[in-house]
Amino acid sequence: MKTYLVTGGAGFIGSNFIKYILDVSRDAYIVNVDKLTYAGNLDNIIELADHPRHVFAQVDICDATELEKLFEKFKPDFVVNFAAESHVDRSIQNADDFINTNVVGTGNLLKLCKQFWEIGDGMYGDKKYLQVSTDEVYGSLSLEDTDEFFVETTPLNPHSPSSASKAAADLLVKAYFDTHRLPVNITRCSNNYGPYQFPEKLIPLCISNATEHKNLPVYGDGQNVRDWLFVKDHCKAIDMVLEYG
């Protein structure tokens, strides 16, 4: 049986991923790690409370001591890091939590993966660390770039403390591969929508406002274009990257 340590597993995308993996694999055991901030909600995983292949631990990934206890106890084969502060407006008001969770927390996970997985010089067996990032690390395209898309080789160009901290985390992940050959992947998806999304995000906010006959929020002058990905399609893609990336 493969053990997955999934951080941010009580959040929107993390909880959907855990349910997806438990549904498609009988050979998966999930260690669900979440600090339970504003974005984490135990109601998202309430139906998993008695699941025999799921255990929840309320732990902050910035707490290296508690994280190490989880690694020691469960010996994960895969680490999937969803844990992140991600709301741009909150990062503009105060960037401290974003720097701590997104950068320091990622650093803790990488250090522990190397510590527990290394079996020789640059050898780690069949382990894998996957960093769930965002396309916001690339910045934004102008309206004139209607035929262009972000690709893996697009230069990083974050514009907010939130996206800058995610880009910093990605570079740490890359550094652990370049320096230690740690087996890693980074995924950078577009905006997600679907079940259990935090209500201040755009699509649930617009739906909520519309049902209450309130005005719909418009970002800037309304000219921005966004790309959307259904969360369960994202979860399927992450699973494929873990196996074949």
Side-chain angles (χ1 to χ4, degrees):
M1 183 170 290
K2 294 287 188 180
T3 298
Y4 295 66
L5 190 148
V6 180
T7 68
F12 165 43
I13 306 176
S15 62
N16 276 283
F17 176 75
I18 287 172
K19 293 171 187 177
Y20 173 83
I21 292 296
L22 291 173
D23 283 343
V24 301
S25 175
R26 299 291 181 184
D27 190 36
Y29 185 85
I30 307 290
V31 182
N32 183 349
V33 180
D34 200 296
K35 183 182 176 182
L36 295 181
T37 62
Y38 71 93
N41 188 345
L42 286 178
D43 286 342
N44 292 346
I45 53 171
I46 192 169
E47 69 267 38
L48 301 178
D50 298 318
H51 198 291
R53 291 184 288 118
H54 172 269
V55 62
F56 177 78
Q58 185 173 351
V59 170
D60 183 352
I61 63 170
C62 293
D63 190 336
T65 300
E66 290 302 312
L67 268 184
E68 184 171 2
K69 292 178 183 177
L70 293 177
F71 272 75
E72 182 67 46
K73 181 177 181 179
F74 295 105
K75 298 177 173 55
D77 300 288
F78 300 134
V79 171
V80 185
N81 184 24
F82 291 96
E85 297 284 347
S86 62
H87 198 275
V88 173
D89 291 345
R90 290 176 183 265
S91 77
I92 293 170
Q93 295 167 6
N94 187 343
D96 291 350
D97 288 342
F98 292 77
I99 295 168
N100 288 329
T101 299
N102 298 353
V103 182
V104 176
T106 296
N108 286 338
L109 289 167
L110 291 166
K111 179 175 68 176
L112 288 168
C113 286
K114 180 180 182 298
Q115 175 183 330
F116 281 86
W117 290 351
E118 191 169 30
I119 56 178
D121 185 20
M123 302 293 290
Y124 297 91
D126 58 353
K127 311 300 185 185
K128 175 70 71 71
Y129 175 95
L130 192 145
Q131 178 77 1
V132 181
S133 187
T134 169
D135 66 354
E136 291 180 0
V137 300
Y138 297 123
S140 58
L141 296 171
S142 70
L143 286 175
E144 286 73 34
D145 297 327
T146 54
D147 294 328
E148 295 188 20
F149 299 92
F150 295 131
V151 295
E152 289 88 343
T153 55
T154 301
L156 301 184
N157 187 27
H159 296 313
S160 70
S162 171
S163 56
S165 64
K166 289 293 289 184
D170 290 359
L171 292 176
L172 268 180
V173 175
K174 180 180 181 299
Y176 263 76
F177 172 76
D178 291 339
T179 305
H180 304 295
R181 311 311 294 176
L182 190 74
V184 301
N185 285 121
I186 301 171
T187 61
R188 293 171 177 153
C189 68
S190 59
N191 298 283
N192 279 211
Y193 71 95
Y196 312 110
Q197 188 166 25
F198 193 66
E200 73 180 21
K201 297 293 186 176
L202 181 62
I203 288 181
L205 180 62
C206 284
I207 292 172
S208 176
N209 282 12
T211 59
E212 297 174 13
H213 304 287
K214 296 180 179 178
N215 292 332
L216 305 185
V218 175
Y219 181 78
D221 60 6
Q223 295 299 305
N224 295 76
V225 177
R226 288 187 175 185
D227 183 70
W228 296 93
L229 178 67
F230 183 50
V231 65
K232 293 184 180 180
D233 292 329
H234 184 196
C235 294
K236 182 178 180 180
I238 291 172
D239 185 31
M240 292 178 68
V241 172
L242 270 178
E243 291 294 331
Y244 307 113

